Amino acid sequence: MLDNNIDAYKKYLQEHQLPVLEGVPDPGKWYRVPVPGATCAGGSPYWGYLRKGTESGLIVFFLGGGVSLNAYTAARPTRLSVPGENFYFDENSLPFNDVAFDRGIFDDAPENPFRNWSCIFVSYATGDFHVGNGDYHYTAPDGSPAVLHHHGYTNYSGLMEQAVKHLSTPAKLLITGTSGGAFGASALASDVMSYFPNCRDVTVCPDSALLLYDQWNTIAQNVWQSNEKIWKQLQGPNITLDWLRALYAEKGDDVRYLYVNSIRDSAFAMYQHYIDRGTMEITREHCLKFQKDLKEMVDTLKNEIPGISFFLFENPTENLQPELMGTMHTLIHDPEFSRPVKGGISLRDWLWSAVNDTVSDVGMELLDA
């Protein structure tokens, strides 16, 4: 039954495939943007997406989809038809992006104030938080030699070079992303800004980016083979905290800093369980630990980055047992983007106010609940 459903969905994707950008893009229309020489994790060609808007705002969005840390994770990309552990999206995920632009911040509904902005959508198919620059060789479970192409940064930069040909300097620039893409947005915000040096109104907003590991520096350097600037910034177990610290040290108040997360993120609780204990499981202990870690991260960011604002929420994850206390994972690219949370404001309205220089905190009391 599962295979039949997958076949039906593949047919649906073929029927809804977006056009490839050739020539001048029509305003308001989404296009696949091929990137010459770019490759996904398994070596297949990579592409991102572009929508040229009718207003002067630009969203650079980094998609998420897991992470690969070592040979064990490298050998286990996400496969819908294969049960078991799935650690990261590879090229098999790319066609699904064609039907991803009808929700969240990309929703074309009249009430979405971002609907007429231009967008560069950075697809994710390399398992390296968009910062990789090399080939990771490992031994597959069957004993054969294998390679994971950690080309996230190469793919991103090639996409930017293609996309900016069709865009003028934006009046407002929003750099964001979800999950694995939120890490990427934190790491590459300064790099994105370099493509638009005359833009003076920049907002950086990672949506869900908290995983603690004391090996981030080693992984970024030796597994993903990131640029020296990227891996040298990693000094502690909180990779996002280190990247945002570095961004603030470089850009200071030239950037508007935001951060979004649910308070007991069930997806990160599961990944954190793998990092801590070696298995992909969700436990009440790790959901509650995530809340404690998030509070520590929020307090540190408040102390170190003046003016940073937070949107914290607790929408329960419906497919988990209530006793686990897990909460949903990411919100910017979700239908819930436009719905008010417990505090009475939606992420959509909060984010729109923030990019227009009215910042506030939402849900801070949840950290102590």
Side-chain angles (χ1 to χ4, degrees), residues 277-294:
R277 300 185 181 179
T279 58
M280 291 282 275
E281 299 178 37
I282 304 172
T283 67
R284 176 188 175 93
E285 174 192 1
H286 273 73
C287 290
L288 292 173
K289 180 180 182 296
F290 183 90
Q291 182 174 352
K292 180 181 178 181
D293 294 337
L294 180 62

Side-chain angles (χ1 to χ4, degrees), residues 296-339:
E296 182 177 336
M297 178 180 179
V298 168
D299 289 344
T300 303
L301 286 170
K302 277 288 187 184
N303 289 331
E304 296 189 12
I305 302 181
I308 189 171
S309 295
F310 297 89
F311 189 97
L312 308 176
F313 60 101
E314 61 173 352
N315 292 17
T317 301
E318 296 179 357
N319 63 346
L320 295 178
Q321 300 95 320
E323 63 270 18
L324 292 178
M325 299 182 69
T327 52
M328 67 183 291
H329 181 56
T330 78
L331 195 55
I332 284 179
H333 192 201
D334 189 275
E336 297 287 333
F337 175 70
S338 61
R339 298 177 186 173

Side-chain angles (χ1 to χ4, degrees), residues 37-176:
T39 59
C40 300
S44 298
Y46 168 91
W47 68 83
Y49 296 83
L50 173 69
R51 181 184 74 188
K52 185 174 182 179
T54 57
E55 297 180 2
S56 58
L58 170 64
I59 301 166
V60 177
F61 179 89
F62 292 86
L63 184 62
V67 65
S68 182
L69 309 172
N70 49 39
Y72 186 87
T73 56
R76 291 164 176 82
T78 298
R79 295 288 184 269
L80 295 180
S81 59
V82 179
E85 294 173 313
N86 297 287
F87 288 96
Y88 65 98
F89 289 170
D90 60 8
E91 53 262 51
N92 288 281
S93 71
L94 279 187
F96 291 86
N97 295 339
D98 284 7
V99 294
F101 303 114
D102 59 350
R103 62 182 184 271
I105 197 170
F106 306 117
D107 194 342
D108 199 34
E111 59 270 22
N112 179 15
F114 295 98
R115 69 189 182 279
N116 293 321
W117 281 33
S118 296
C119 298
I120 300 173
F121 184 98
V122 187
S123 302
Y124 184 47
T126 52
D128 56 12
F129 291 162
H130 296 277
V131 300
N133 269 325
D135 294 336
Y136 177 63
H137 295 268
Y138 65 98
T139 301
D142 64 2
S144 63
V147 59
L148 196 168
H149 300 285
H150 282 306
H151 290 191
Y153 181 81
T154 309
N155 296 350
Y156 142 78
S157 57
L159 173 64
M160 292 296 292
E161 291 171 5
Q162 297 298 315
V164 297
K165 298 175 183 178
H166 305 282
L167 302 172
S168 56
T169 297
K172 291 181 178 292
L173 172 60
L174 170 60
I175 304 166
T176 186

Side-chain angles (χ1 to χ4, degrees), residues 172-173 200-205 252-258 307-308 353-359:
K172 291 181 178 292
L173 172 60
R200 297 291 180 261
D201 192 333
V202 181
T203 301
V204 176
C205 181
D253 295 335
D254 290 342
V255 169
R256 188 180 295 109
Y257 302 87
L258 310 174
I308 189 171
S353 295
V355 300
N356 287 288
D357 215 24
T358 301
V359 296

